[in-house]
Amino acid sequence: MCGIVGYVGHRNVVDVIFKGLTNLEYRGYDSAGMALLDQNEIKVFKSLGKLINLKNVLSESSAQLTAPTSGIGHIRWATHGSPSLENAHPHTCTCGKLAVVHNGIIENYKELREELIKKGCKFRSQTDTETIAHLVAHEYENAKDLEIAVRNAVKKLQGAYAICVMHQNVPDVIIGARKNAPMLVGVGEGENFIASDTPAIIEYTKKTIYLDDNEIAVVTKNSIKITDIHGAVINKKVETLPWEPVALSKLGYKHFMLKEIHEQPDIIRNILNGKIYDIDSPVVLNEVKIDKDTLKKLNKIQIIACGTSLHAAMVGKYLIEDFAGISVDVEPSSEYIYRKTTTDSSTLVIGVSQSGETADTITAIKQAKEKNSHVLIITNRPDSYMARLADSLIPVNAGIEVSVAATKSYIAQLISFYLLALHLGEIKGTLSGDFLKNIKHELIQLPTKIEEILSNASSIKECARIFSSFKNFIYIARGINLATAYEGALKLKEISYINATGYPAGELKHGPIAMLDETMPVLSILIPGGITYDKILSNSEEAKARNAKLIALTSSDDENLKALFDVVLKIPHVCEILSPAICCVPLQLLAYYIAEFLGKDVDQPRNLAKSVTVE
Ligand code: M6R
């Protein structure tokens, strides 16, 4: 949610910042802007909407620029104030000599703004961020030292911030500070960077210093100084990023989403490699740092997550209860944090997050830590703040996910839950040897089955064509695939803006059946051999009797289904317990192709952002 890039060094400043923002654009695209130090003067350029518009503004204004030597840039996902040019970052102080970009929300900005207006500051936007510009400028007037001014200013801020500040009287110095929002320093040679996330700097350096809360980084092209809120210098570890810039390329696919869907078989292979050596050996999950005796006695788990990660958590609940017999609660992080929970030191709390940055989940995890629970984090970003809060960390290793709609990270989370549930079951001795062999064998087969779906996607594309004109959908399922129905419907909503709802098939008759007619297609997830098949078939019949168009997603070979369903989407044979890892793929493709037919912006759907860093 929003993205920050700051640069000082020998390269073309505009190009470096623009490239960095391009690699962060999946985080927000309401507006973009840059402040550049050029000929001892701060020059600000802004545009509305996608980043490409900023490129146009910059080329139209090229006559105003000679050779900028440092700068800061931002892409915005609007929180305070509508997406408009005045509200776009960077924001400047009254005299325009100081510029700031900001991610997060300043909760006490109204009080600060009133005070600053009384002191003569002229505000030009509705944002909370502009308050920071005036506040730092005001502190600078007193302290005559930008570092001290930033330190004094952030002490007055309440809420969440990652900020990057520059002042024309302090040339080629960029200052970053953070609290409850990610920020890092990219370490180069004769150049240095400040950014809100690693994709912004990966083209130029893999060396990174992660700032912690209340730390301030003063960065020039040849120096990096990090201090705490009191000004004491801190020696921080320089870490090396684990991935390559190629991860940010579409590799010939039309969209990142399609590329990421196609990466799923190899992601599963990578995750299983090193965790399941053969079907006769236990799962190796050294990442879980709880001793075996404690694990054996464990009788309560709470899983907290948001969005797609929440759906993975729902599958996880089902698996852990089934394999290990441990009771599991699943809750949206944003609900967990506002109630009195029963979390205590004997609860294992699992946080699930693709980005590791989601504010709701971070707050929930912090609350669980305060109750002395062991916190296990399942994330795609082992470099994230959430990962650093973990007592145990399972990195899902899906690689950078650029498309705002989560796909490959979801399947990676699911596979991590299969491994965790098996691991817990093996420790507790709740699973038979035959079951363990079979399930491990079937897990290893998953990538090939998904490849089969991906190479026969034409039926899904045709289904998307037929149904792309419908305005409403219901996805029904029971048991372990209820989460699949939720996730399939969420994918469709996110990228096509169609009103799609996941619903427990058995609940249809308790209300939503009233909405059914020929305008409301019902998609049923039917896995034969399991305990839910016949019941969902009956629920589908009930929908048919109300003239709903029916789609089946099934591994059944029953030819009679063609008489009941308007479209039958076939998937390879799979046991019910593993079917969520197969069924999610055609639903991702269905959502993708419908959005494609409708001409939607698949990778960057309106109103969304990849990391939701506000509560
Ligand atoms: O990074 P997280 O997994 O914590 O993010 C949670 C949700 O914001 C995220 O899953 C969101 O729902 C995605 N857009 C789903 O496609």
Side-chain angles (χ1 to χ4, degrees):
M1 192 165 272
C2 300
I4 288 175
V5 187
Y7 179 70
V8 50
H10 53 81
R11 298 179 203 254
N12 181 312
V13 177
V14 173
D15 288 353
V16 172
I17 295 177
F18 193 82
K19 182 76 202 165
L21 292 178
T22 305
N23 288 349
L24 294 182
E25 201 188 5
Y26 62 97
R27 301 172 63 93
Y29 26 85
D30 287 336
S31 63
M34 246 184 235
L36 301 163
L37 185 74
D38 186 46
Q39 293 185 309
N40 302 320
E41 197 189 328
I42 298 257
K43 296 177 182 169
V44 176
F45 303 89
K46 297 182 183 186
S47 64
L48 261 186
K50 298 257 182 141
L51 194 56
I52 185 71
N53 300 335
L54 182 63
K55 190 165 208 167
N56 298 335
V57 168
L58 283 162
S59 38
E60 281 159 20
S61 325
S62 56
Q64 295 173 36
L65 287 171
T66 49
T69 45
S70 56
I72 56 179
H74 189 264
I75 39 128
R76 176 169 188 247
W77 186 85
T79 57
H80 290 56
S82 58
S84 67
L85 269 190
E86 309 79 66
N87 291 335
H89 301 211
H91 289 282
T92 50
C93 62
T94 309
C95 68
K97 289 183 180 175
L98 177 143
V100 65
V101 288
H102 163 228
N103 290 355
I105 288 181
I106 303 304
E107 286 161 5
N108 60 337
Y109 84 101
K110 283 193 181 139
E111 299 90 292
L112 291 170
R113 187 180 166 115
E114 272 168 30
E115 277 171 36
L116 289 158
I117 288 172
K118 279 185 201 145
K119 286 176 181 159
C121 297
K122 299 264 178 297
F123 279 75
R124 307 172 188 98
S125 77
Q126 289 85 51
T127 63
D128 51 340
T129 303
E130 193 183 348
T131 313
I132 308 174
H134 293 291
L135 186 63
V136 180
H138 187 69
E139 295 293 339
Y140 181 70
E141 271 171 34
N142 297 333
K144 309 282 183 250
D145 179 309
L146 191 58
E147 181 187 336
I148 295 173
V150 170
R151 186 169 297 117
N152 290 344
V154 295
K155 281 179 186 162
K156 296 183 177 159
L157 301 179
Q158 287 164 17
Y161 57 82
I163 58 170
C164 196
V165 180
M166 61 192 294
H167 196 299
Q168 73 182 37
N169 292 359
V170 191
D172 297 331
V173 175
I174 50 176
I175 300 189
R178 68 155 275 181
K179 187 174 175 196
N180 295 331
M183 172 146 274
L184 55 91
V185 177
V187 184
E189 280 173 26
E191 61 179 348
N192 287 309
F193 308 77
I194 290 180
S196 54
D197 199 4
T198 47
I201 59 162
I202 191 74
E203 304 277 334
Y204 307 105
T205 180
K206 285 179 146 194
K207 288 192 198 156
T208 311
I209 299 170
Y210 293 97
L211 293 190
D212 285 309
D213 278 353
N214 298 314
E215 290 180 349
I216 292 167
V218 181
V219 173
T220 71
K221 67 178 180 176
N222 292 317
S223 68
I224 296 167
K225 180 173 111 180
I226 298 180
T227 56
D228 68 13
I229 197 82
H230 308 294
V233 174
I234 308 174
N235 284 322
K236 302 278 291 186
K237 194 167 133 207
V238 179
E239 299 183 33
T240 304
L241 296 175
W243 46 280
E244 299 293 333
V246 72
L248 296 171
S249 144
K250 287 187 199 148
L251 296 179
Y253 287 96
K254 187 167 179 196
H255 295 102
F256 279 107
M257 181 174 176
L258 195 57
K259 175 195 155 211
E260 287 161 2
I261 290 172
H262 278 81
E263 283 171 357
Q264 294 179 114
D266 281 341
I267 287 167
I268 299 179
R269 286 190 185 101
N270 285 342
I271 299 174
L272 295 181
N273 188 11
K275 303 276 186 250
I276 298 181
Y277 284 101
D278 62 64
I279 59 172
D280 296 311
S281 314
V283 167
V284 179
L285 208 57
N286 298 332
E287 289 89 345
V288 180
K289 308 276 182 220
I290 319 176
D291 65 76
K292 291 204 167 161
D293 284 341
T294 313
L295 275 180
K296 269 188 190 158
K297 285 185 217 136
L298 196 71
N299 59 11
K300 189 168 77 175
I301 296 180
Q302 286 178 320
I303 317 183
I304 36 194
C306 304
T308 289
S309 298
L310 181 67
H311 300 149
M314 289 173 183
V315 177
K317 167 188 164 75
Y318 200 99
L319 296 174
I320 294 170
E321 291 189 340
D322 196 308
F323 292 178
I326 306 170
S327 155
V328 183
D329 290 335
V330 176
E331 199 170 355
S333 317
S334 53
E335 292 299 317
Y336 177 92
I337 54 188
Y338 297 115
R339 71 182 181 85
K340 199 169 168 187
T341 64
T342 56
T343 309
D344 60 22
S345 58
S346 63
T347 317
L348 170 64
V349 173
I350 304 179
V352 192
S353 174
Q354 186 286 127
S355 61
E357 276 184 30
T358 303
D360 292 317
T361 308
I362 287 178
T363 307
I365 294 304
K366 284 181 173 171
Q367 284 184 11
K369 281 184 84 76
E370 277 166 21
K371 302 250 181 107
N372 297 319
S373 300
H374 185 98
V375 167
L376 186 155
I377 299 292
I378 297 179
T379 183
N380 194 31
R381 296 298 299 271
D383 53 340
S384 65
Y385 180 56
M386 206 183 294
R388 276 174 285 135
L389 290 174
D391 299 306
S392 295
L393 173 66
I394 302 187
V396 303
N397 294 329
I400 287 283
E401 188 174 64
V402 175
S403 173
V404 166
T407 54
K408 62 176 183 171
S409 62
Y410 176 68
I411 217 159
Q413 290 167 347
L414 291 188
I415 301 301
S416 302
F417 270 118
Y418 282 106
L419 293 169
L420 177 64
L422 284 173
H423 179 61
L424 293 173
E426 283 176 333
I427 288 171
K428 293 201 82 166
T430 41
L431 298 169
S432 75
D434 280 350
F435 177 86
L436 282 166
K437 274 188 199 176
N438 275 337
I439 195 114
K440 287 176 193 169
H441 175 76
E442 286 290 315
L443 263 173
I444 294 165
Q445 305 305 312
L446 283 177
T448 315
K449 292 182 184 180
I450 294 172
E451 274 162 354
E452 216 178 293
I453 296 172
L454 294 173
S455 52
N456 295 300
S458 52
S459 58
I460 303 171
K461 199 168 181 176
E462 178 56 12
C463 179
R465 191 189 62 74
I466 297 169
F467 284 92
S468 57
S469 57
F470 284 83
K471 304 279 178 265
N472 301 289
F473 279 80
I474 293 193
Y475 288 31
I476 58 169
R478 286 174 183 245
I480 196 165
N481 274 311
L482 179 55
T484 314
Y486 290 148
E487 174 57 13
L490 177 66
K491 287 287 89 83
L492 188 57
K493 267 191 280 232
E494 282 187 296
I495 60 170
S496 69
Y497 321 145
I498 288 172
N499 174 29
T501 311
Y503 223 80
E507 282 289 302
L508 203 59
K509 57 186 176 294
H510 296 290
I513 200 165
M515 299 189 296
L516 296 191
D517 61 16
E518 61 288 346
T519 66
M520 173 78 88
V522 175
L523 184 149
S524 309
I525 304 176
L526 288 148
I527 306 299
I531 50 175
T532 61
Y533 183 84
D534 290 337
K535 290 276 184 282
I536 300 175
L537 212 47
S538 306
N539 302 137
S540 308
E541 296 270 10
E542 290 155 15
K544 186 74 172 181
R546 273 79 189 175
N547 295 326
K549 297 259 178 288
L550 296 192
I551 305 167
L553 179 67
T554 185
S555 52
S556 168
D557 295 324
D558 182 358
E559 286 295 316
N560 293 326
L561 291 180
K562 290 187 182 148
L564 174 61
F565 290 91
D566 297 278
V567 173
V568 176
L569 296 175
K570 268 296 298 294
I571 55 169
H573 292 160
V574 59
C575 59
E576 190 176 36
I577 200 93
L578 286 180
S579 61
I582 294 279
C583 291
C584 62
V585 179
L587 297 184
Q588 294 165 348
L589 286 170
L590 184 63
Y592 173 80
Y593 286 123
I594 289 180
E596 251 281 85
F597 275 118
L598 296 176
K600 302 295 183 203
D601 190 343
V602 172
D603 283 333
Q604 296 179 341
R606 71 183 182 201
N607 304 342
L608 294 178
K610 187 72 184 157
S611 307
V612 184
T613 52
V614 293
E615 277 177 27

